[in-house]
Amino acid sequence: QVQLVESGGGAVQTGGSLRLSCGVSGFPTGTNCMGWFRQAPEKEREPVARIYSSGYSMNTYYHNAVKGRFTISRDNAKTTLYLQMNVLKPEDTAMYYCAARLGSCDTRPSAFTYWGQGTQVTVSS
């Protein structure tokens, strides 16, 4: 059984930093994409950052709004996914979700098979 469990959310002021973690268990081996999505009230869920892993390469992808401020990474054992968020802005306020799928990196939330329960990030001005 695949489980994704997020942690690390919280409330910070503008310009602050947070690091989100996502513990991954039971995920099958193979080419995969793991990522972070966020959803603000009354808005659609959107991809924030994704990391694609194959046997030979690893590529990262970022939403334009977070490029240069957020960094996605995973540990060598591929059991934890991270999102380092720096220079946070009020518009980053949202519920952040960890997600995973086998195969290529898609931007559509509907393409991801496995989801965590979410962790709230609130940035005050």
Side-chain angles (χ1 to χ4, degrees), residues 38-41 89-96 120-124:
R38 67 186 180 187
Q39 187 167 18
K89 305 176 181 180
E91 51 264 44
D92 295 318
T93 295
M95 184 71 78
Y96 283 70
Q120 178 68 38
V121 171
T122 303
V123 185
S124 58

Side-chain angles (χ1 to χ4, degrees), residues 19-93:
R19 188 174 84 153
L20 305 183
S21 299
C22 175
V24 181
S25 61
F27 193 76
T29 58
T31 300
N32 65 79
C33 181
M34 293 189 178
W36 292 93
F37 289 74
R38 67 186 180 187
Q39 187 167 18
E42 300 182 358
K43 292 190 176 181
E44 293 187 354
R45 192 169 297 190
E46 62 179 7
V48 176
R50 293 160 292 135
I51 186 164
Y52 170 78
S53 301
S54 71
Y56 305 98
S57 65
M58 185 176 292
N59 295 312
T60 56
Y61 308 91
Y62 295 94
H63 191 290
N64 284 338
V66 307
K67 280 181 181 178
R69 300 188 297 123
F70 291 11
T71 302
I72 188 171
S73 63
R74 59 193 300 181
D75 65 350
N76 289 335
K78 299 181 181 179
T79 58
T80 308
L81 184 70
Y82 301 99
L83 184 68
Q84 178 66 44
M85 306 186 294
N86 298 326
V87 195
L88 282 160
K89 305 176 181 180
E91 51 264 44
D92 295 318
T93 295

Side-chain angles (χ1 to χ4, degrees), residues 99-121:
R101 69 184 300 265
L102 289 172
S104 63
C105 259
D106 201 301
T107 58
R108 299 168 297 161
S110 61
F112 283 74
T113 310
Y114 308 105
W115 290 86
Q117 81 287 355
T119 186
Q120 178 68 38
V121 171

